[in-house]
Amino acid sequence: MKRFIGKIEKEHAIIEGEELTHLRNVLRLNVGDEVTVINGDGCDYLCQIIKIDKNIAFLSVKSKKNNKNNAKNNISLFISAIKREKLELVVQKAVELGIKNLFIFESQFSTMKLKGEKIIRYQKIIESATKQCERADFMKIRLISFSEMLERFAQHKVKLFANEREGEEFDFSVLKTAKDIAILVGCEGGFSAQEKAQILQTKPQNISLGNRILRAETAAILLSGIASLFSGN
Ligand code: SAM
């Protein structure tokens, strides 16, 4: 069943914009065809196309069901700003791996400056990855400051701080019962000594991912995958 992002209004759904172009011009779907529409509320809406106009497709909602692929656990990934294309990869993989919240922040060694308008681009990547991996909830994404990151990170029950060179071996099987997990990864240059000291004050698990120094995006994706799989997300 082809998946589209649309608006749900009671018994009807509408599909517009790029989603409509894909439905009509790429997949060449027509009146009578059935598709799944999602709007980010976590449900799959089985719909039938009833009318396709120039700028809008109208569908009737046949049934609604909860989607089992949504993020079940509250897993937040905090990553310091890295190069644009690497960050885009992290956004896409975070959705696939069931991350609920992605927080991007600047730290002392970040070479990338955070710009609000990038959120629109990230939102598109989130929507596309959500359809691809058959989730029906949209991962939330926010740009935050280093101090807000510290505050939010500290609030999670299990805090995994990826700390190359100084981290310790961690028994990931303890995540089996975890429902509220935060993952923290630095940028290409890592964290400064002062930043590391501030992070350690939140009393995280100070984790090594092995002796090899991984790219920031590799560390973020690896730890997201481990946290998601071990916690049964
Ligand atoms: N500049 C740092 C250095 O050379 O020591 C490397 C930073 S690394 C490229 C980027 C981020 O990935 C780090 O801040 C850390 O969060 C994570 N990371 C990379 N390799 C890691 C490892 N072996 N164990 C734990 N975290 C790792």
Side-chain angles (χ1 to χ4, degrees), residues 162-165 185-190 207-210 212-214 216 219:
N163 192 1
E164 77 285 2
R165 301 182 205 280
V185 174
C187 61
E188 290 88 348
I207 287 180
S208 164
L209 296 169
R212 286 181 287 270
I213 300 299
L214 310 175

Side-chain angles (χ1 to χ4, degrees), residues 98-117:
I99 297 296
K100 200 168 222 167
N101 301 290
L102 175 62
F103 296 103
I104 307 167
F105 59 92
E106 270 178 37
S107 55
Q108 282 178 34
F109 300 151
S110 296
T111 47
M112 287 302 290
K113 293 280 159 249
L114 290 180
K115 296 209 181 90
E117 70 267 17

Side-chain angles (χ1 to χ4, degrees), residues 60 76 81 96 104 128 143 175 188 233:
S60 64
S76 296
E96 290 174 41
I104 307 167
S128 162
L143 309 181
L175 298 179
E188 290 88 348
N233 186 29

Side-chain angles (χ1 to χ4, degrees), residues 119-137:
I119 283 287
I120 295 166
R121 165 88 189 126
Y122 299 146
Q123 208 59 52
K124 286 248 169 281
I125 295 170
I126 291 171
E127 289 180 1
S128 162
T130 304
K131 286 195 292 177
Q132 186 276 325
C133 74
E134 302 187 1
R135 270 172 82 162
D137 59 331

